[in-house]
Amino acid sequence: MENKITTTTLAEMKARGEKICMLTAYDYPSARLLDEAGVEIILVGDSVGNVLLGYSSTLPVTMEEMLHHTRAVARGAKRALVVGDMPFLSYQPSDSEGVLNAGRFIKAGAEAVKVEGGASVAGRIKAMLDAGIPVMGHLGLTPQWIHQFGGYRVRAKTAEAAKSLLREAKELERLGVFSLVLEGIPWQVAKLVTENLKIPTIGIGAGPYCDGQVLVLHDMLGLSDRVPKFVKRYANLGEEMRRAVSEFLREVKEGKFPTREFSYEMPAEEAEKLEKGQEAEDF
Ligand code: KIV
């Protein structure tokens, strides 16, 4: 496809100072809409766990669930780069398990994978890159680490922690990740990291100075209950759904839907025959 977004396109965008847009999608119609709107990266996020599957965190999400959603998204995305988010325990146990699972994402239609963590997963990331699988890094408030972090708290709030995050970001860049998600860190830290890397940074709750921005689609469309400080609601589709469903309910109960306008009609002569037969009790 012409203008297909690749990892090279993203590097070129950073070089030109052009902002990159990434959104999550978990299904075919959303992927198609985002793609047509011009979003450069579609992330099949493990946020599918909280957002769509009703889990209280991303930790229970399985590879099977991620692959199911990745296949649907890949069918809808023609131009955007599709990134599959590696779920908890799909890469942590060993390099070989990480490579095999990353490969399953590629076979399902993803063009890259995202891995949470820095130095502790460097070996895993290198093994995936050696297998020819592009990897997006993810540092800061990495949700698969919440039990170790003690909850969803902003990370890298001290100068020392900021320096350590920058060191990890540089290490990921050195390994060869094509891009880096920065989540839940002060804008000053995101700015420092962005200015010190050649690869593009994509921020979420990381302020305005990243090379790109990502939001969870359901959060920005008003389809989820949670509204963290960094989420801007661009629509309130939740309210619109509630209104539409209430109207359907009322019209069905009152016999106002469906009218003949929404019904199929027999040819007139067949309807007449049917009516006559009915009179003659011809059944
Ligand atoms: O799973 C997800 O949606 C993510 C984004 C928030 C970056 O990892």
Side-chain angles (χ1 to χ4, degrees), residues 47-117:
S47 52
V48 69
N50 333 42
V51 172
L52 221 64
L53 303 178
Y55 300 143
S56 58
S57 74
T58 58
L59 298 175
V61 176
T62 65
M63 270 304 293
E64 274 56 44
E65 286 164 339
M66 289 305 300
L67 294 176
H68 171 76
H69 291 283
T70 301
R71 285 187 202 100
V73 167
R75 286 190 282 266
K78 303 284 177 253
R79 175 179 171 269
L81 183 84
V82 175
V83 179
D85 205 1
M86 299 207 61
F88 182 56
L89 289 194
S90 68
Y91 56 98
Q92 287 89 344
S94 68
D95 287 0
S96 61
E97 216 163 316
V99 173
L100 284 173
N101 281 323
R104 291 174 79 198
F105 270 103
I106 302 299
K107 285 176 186 281
E111 294 152 315
V113 295
K114 178 168 80 58
V115 171
E116 291 185 13

Side-chain angles (χ1 to χ4, degrees), residues 35-51:
D35 198 65
E36 286 168 8
V39 164
E40 280 96 13
I41 310 174
I42 300 182
L43 174 69
V44 189
D46 63 353
S47 52
V48 69
N50 333 42
V51 172

